[in-house]
Amino acid sequence: MGMPMDGGGKTAGSNGMDGGKSMLDFLHANLSYILSGISVGGQYALIAIGYTMVYGILRLINFAHGDVFMCAGLMMVYLTTVLPVTVAIPLVLIMTVALGFFIERAAYKPLRTAPRMSVMISAIGVSYLLQNAALYFTGGLAKVYPTIPWLSDSVVIWGATTKMVTLVTPILTIVLVVLLSLLIKYTKIGMAMRAVSKDFETSRLMGIQINTVISVTFIIGSFLAAVGSMLYFTNYASVTPISGGMPGLKCFVAAVFGGIGSIPGAVIGAFIIGIAENILKGGTSIFGFGGSGWTTFSDAFTFALLIIILVVKPTGLFGEKSTDKA
């Protein structure tokens, strides 16, 4: 029995093979951009988790979080001038955590009972304070991020040359997210965080140390931002006082896209944005048009995506509808 033929005389089997080959050709042509997108998505995810955790606890958009990420990058630049990289890395993690803790205690804790708008204005003020402090220390000049051994090494995958950090980032991101999920689900402080995110006032009345929970939230977010900065600036080795601005906004979009307050949502949203952004920057589009012409719109795409998701599903992919209690 012969194979079924379509109207144009081609077999159905050959159509399937052509489709599979086209997909493989597309993946091969765009592999470097896809890998880069996965890597950037992982870096965005580590920063987006900080946004979504703080919002889940305080219902606050911490606009200074992107600048904490930038400060971690500058800390590494300056510390590696006097210390070995292996010593500078843990110091950067500790100092970034201390910075996040100090910001929460100095700028947010005194406003615990203040209107939400006051806390948001404080967050914007902290953001500009960190940017201007960085401007003072750097003189406004871009600083070259140090080379981290092994992470900066080149590797070839299916003909595409990339850095080792591109492969390490998604794996490290998944490991950190799993550890964070376990911490939130099985530890005492994690259960307290879940309780506070559900009902702030009732948690306070039940004896949960609210200030401790909030401080731990900022510490975790700052730690992940520091790790994200090391991975991000290994790829984009220039650090300026405004380096945290655009990544911070994109990570906020990722958190909203996934459903702000949802850690898995923030991670998935970040990966989607990272991959789509890098395909736009240089990949061959599905319709056969050169992707390089779309580079100008890579940032605009992120915010267009935010508008679309807010119109179609205001709570994000994994967000829950909030119900007002009578």
Side-chain angles (χ1 to χ4, degrees):
M1 183 179 292
M3 294 185 70
M5 308 286 287
D6 63 11
K10 293 182 180 179
T11 65
S14 67
N15 283 339
M17 290 173 64
D18 290 343
K21 187 177 179 182
S22 300
M23 181 57 69
L24 282 175
D25 290 341
F26 173 80
L27 289 174
H28 187 265
N30 295 282
L31 182 62
S32 60
Y33 303 115
I34 294 170
L35 289 174
S36 180
I38 293 172
S39 178
V40 172
Q43 293 149 22
Y44 286 169
L46 293 175
I47 308 168
I49 289 170
Y51 279 105
T52 205
M53 286 181 67
V54 170
Y55 182 85
I57 301 292
L58 283 178
R59 296 297 184 266
L60 162 70
I61 304 300
N62 182 18
F63 288 107
H65 193 59
D67 298 292
V68 171
F69 158 84
M70 173 271 295
C71 288
L74 287 179
M75 288 176 194
M76 178 65 89
V77 170
Y78 285 111
L79 283 175
T80 50
T81 60
V82 294
L83 294 171
V85 173
T86 52
V87 178
I89 288 174
L91 273 178
V92 167
L93 295 174
I94 293 168
M95 291 171 65
T96 307
V97 164
L99 176 62
F101 176 80
F102 176 75
I103 288 172
E104 190 278 321
R105 287 301 169 106
Y108 302 145
K109 184 181 176 183
L111 300 174
R112 202 76 84 215
T113 58
R116 195 172 298 172
M117 184 60 68
S118 300
V119 188
M120 188 171 293
I121 292 171
S122 179
I124 295 171
V126 171
S127 173
Y128 279 106
L129 175 63
L130 292 176
Q131 285 184 28
N132 280 271
L135 184 64
Y136 173 79
F137 285 111
T138 63
L141 300 175
K143 299 296 180 181
V144 178
Y145 199 75
T147 299
I148 298 179
W150 188 67
L151 279 182
S152 301
D153 294 347
S154 295
V155 61
V156 179
I157 300 175
W158 201 14
T161 302
T162 186
K163 289 184 179 180
M164 186 62 71
V165 67
T166 305
L167 305 180
V168 170
T169 297
I171 298 170
L172 182 59
T173 300
I174 292 169
V175 169
L176 289 173
V177 170
V178 169
L179 290 175
L180 178 59
S181 299
L182 293 173
L183 181 144
I184 291 174
K185 189 171 183 179
Y186 294 111
T187 66
K188 188 175 180 180
I189 189 66
M191 288 186 281
M193 291 167 70
R194 282 187 285 142
V196 173
S197 68
K198 290 292 183 183
D199 196 319
F200 192 95
E201 291 303 325
T202 302
S203 299
R204 188 200 299 270
L205 293 173
M206 293 181 69
I208 292 176
Q209 299 297 318
I210 298 293
N211 290 330
T212 301
V213 171
I214 294 172
S215 294
V216 170
T217 302
F218 273 83
I219 286 170
I220 293 172
S222 299
F223 174 82
L224 294 176
V227 175
S229 79
M230 292 178 189
L231 299 171
Y232 182 87
F233 290 119
T234 297
N235 265 336
Y236 306 96
S238 177
V239 190
T240 68
I242 59 172
S243 288
M246 188 55 71
L249 284 174
K250 288 179 179 178
C251 295
F252 168 64
V253 172
V256 174
F257 180 82
I260 193 150
S262 167
I263 292 175
V267 173
I268 292 172
F271 275 113
I272 291 173
I273 288 173
I275 293 170
E277 175 186 303
N278 277 271
I279 287 292
L280 282 176
K281 281 182 177 179
T284 304
S285 75
I286 296 173
F287 303 105
F289 300 105
S292 57
W294 296 87
T295 302
T296 310
F297 301 101
S298 61
D299 291 338
F301 164 80
T302 303
F303 301 105
L305 184 64
L306 174 63
I307 294 170
I308 293 169
I309 198 67
L310 288 176
V311 170
V312 176
K313 198 173 188 300
T315 56
L317 294 178
F318 299 96
E320 297 178 359
K321 287 186 177 181
S322 57
T323 53
D324 294 329
K325 296 179 182 179

